[in-house]
């Protein structure tokens, strides 16, 4: 008996949004991730659920967090916010302290446009 394909349209749409926001073609993402462009198209357009290995390869290549996939109600739709979270998770304590100081200084001097 053939195994039924699992589908998740939201997953495909999230991956497509991340890819297009980064202005990557299917072939460019395939090269970065090691996942074939045909398989990426099936995920994005048909909602095919990838294996955990393929999913991990795509997430790492796109440099996006996994939380929105597992906790969709808690996500921020702002891709820049999500990417910052991923970058921060890769920082050392010293790097985080430096980034925090920079952000605090920026916010103290930032003038909102009128």
């Amino acid at each position: 008996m053939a195994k039924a394909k699992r589908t998740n349209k939201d997953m495909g749409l999230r991956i497509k949004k991340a890819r297009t926001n980064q202005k990557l073609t299917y072939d460019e993402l395939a090269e970065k991730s090691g996942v074939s462009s045909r398989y990426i198209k099936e995920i994005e357009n048909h909602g095919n659920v990838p294996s955990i290995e393929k999913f991990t390869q795509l997430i790492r290549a796109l440099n996006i967090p996994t939380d929105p996939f597992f906790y969709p109600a808690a996500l921020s739709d702002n891709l820049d916010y999500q990417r910052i979270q991923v970058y921060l998770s890769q920082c050392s304590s010293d790097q985080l302290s430096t980034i925090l100081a920079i952000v605090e200084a920026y916010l103290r001097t930032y003038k909102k446009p009128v």
Side-chain angles (χ1 to χ4, degrees):
M1 181 183 235
K3 192 168 138 182
K5 281 189 181 180
R6 291 180 303 156
T7 61
N8 183 329
K9 295 282 187 184
D10 288 338
M11 176 183 282
L13 291 174
R14 288 185 198 291
I15 290 172
K16 184 173 192 167
K17 182 177 179 183
R19 179 182 61 78
T20 57
N21 284 347
Q22 294 179 43
K23 297 177 177 45
L24 294 172
T25 65
Y26 289 114
D27 290 335
E28 290 168 334
L29 179 55
E31 187 175 320
K32 284 180 74 169
S33 68
V35 177
S36 76
S37 60
R38 181 175 178 209
Y39 194 56
I40 294 168
K41 288 176 188 177
E42 289 178 10
I43 294 167
E44 289 185 3
N45 299 322
H46 302 291
N48 291 4
V49 175
S51 67
I52 192 71
E53 293 84 7
K54 299 286 186 203
F55 177 70
T56 301
Q57 289 171 261
L58 289 168
I59 294 304
R60 287 183 177 161
L62 291 166
N63 203 23
I64 58 174
T66 57
D67 283 0
F69 295 94
F70 298 104
Y71 307 102
L75 90 108
S76 165
D77 283 332
N78 185 316
L79 183 61
D80 290 336
Y81 182 81
Q82 293 173 10
R83 290 180 68 202
I84 286 171
Q85 286 181 309
V86 171
Y87 289 130
L88 290 175
S89 72
Q90 299 168 4
C91 292
S92 68
S93 292
D94 288 344
Q95 290 170 322
L96 286 172
S97 295
T98 301
I99 292 167
L100 179 59
I102 291 167
V103 170
E104 287 173 341
Y106 174 77
L107 291 175
R108 278 193 304 273
T109 61
Y110 179 74
K111 304 250 191 281
K112 289 187 179 181
V114 179

